[in-house]
Amino acid sequence: MTSKWMTENEKTALKASMDKLAGLRALKNTENVYDAFDAYRNFKDAIGNYNSDMAYISCLMAKKWLIKRFGNHVSDSLDVSKKSQSAKGFDIEIEEYDIVGEIKNTVPCKKDGSFGAQQLASIDSDLQKLRNSGVKNKFFFVTDKKCFDNLKDEKFKQKLKGIELVPLFNEKET
């Protein structure tokens, strides 16, 4: 990896996450139920906390977007590998630039493409936390197009007031 905007710690954590996926290629097809069970157990062990890995990678995507928006100096102020994905607080926080952000990897769960009750509660909680942050630059990053499209609906307009909704799903590495 030659990304100059990532810290060495970020590169190491991303590589470790990608190595998990690469290791899954070793799983094989079988008709032996014991081999199949072992394959699933190996899969579970290899993937570990999948949601944390996705959250970490989406933080890197948000960092990349913030660098494009505010400049390369943001890179020096944010190392997403230093904060656990399960830690309390904002997903992205850069005090020097008065920036906070929350990231949603939510995919709407209903057949009609809308959010479920728990998804709505989680989104509402994150938006309230951003609104109450008292910082100048508030971002709500989403990684799924259906999620983004739902949040563009009129019913979210007031909840998003003062918060910039940012799609990360179109961002491509350059």
Side-chain angles (χ1 to χ4, degrees), residues 7 23 31 33 35 50 63 74 78 91 112 120 129 158 166:
T7 67
E31 292 182 15
V33 294
D35 288 344
Y50 174 80
K63 178 180 178 176
V74 169
L78 180 63
D91 295 324
D112 67 357
L120 279 173
K129 188 166 69 167
Q158 190 62 31
V166 179

Side-chain angles (χ1 to χ4, degrees), residues 3 9 21 28 30 47 54 68 76 128-129 137 144 147 156 163 167 170:
S3 298
N9 288 339
L21 292 178
K28 60 183 177 184
T30 183
I47 201 67
M54 279 194 62
K68 285 181 181 179
D76 298 333
Q128 182 176 358
K129 188 166 69 167
N137 301 291
D144 180 78
C147 178
F156 288 100
I163 300 167
N170 285 330

Side-chain angles (χ1 to χ4, degrees), residues 90 102-104 106 115-133 140 142 147 150-151 153-161 163:
F90 293 103
E102 283 295 309
I103 301 171
K104 277 294 180 216
T106 301
F115 297 118
Q118 288 182 331
Q119 291 176 322
L120 279 173
S122 178
I123 288 167
D124 285 345
S125 173
D126 283 349
L127 291 175
Q128 182 176 358
K129 188 166 69 167
L130 285 167
R131 277 193 310 275
N132 295 337
S133 68
F140 195 60
V142 295
C147 178
N150 280 334
L151 291 169
D153 188 88
E154 186 67 28
K155 64 185 169 189
F156 288 100
K157 187 174 184 177
Q158 190 62 31
K159 292 178 182 182
L160 282 162
K161 190 172 183 174
I163 300 167

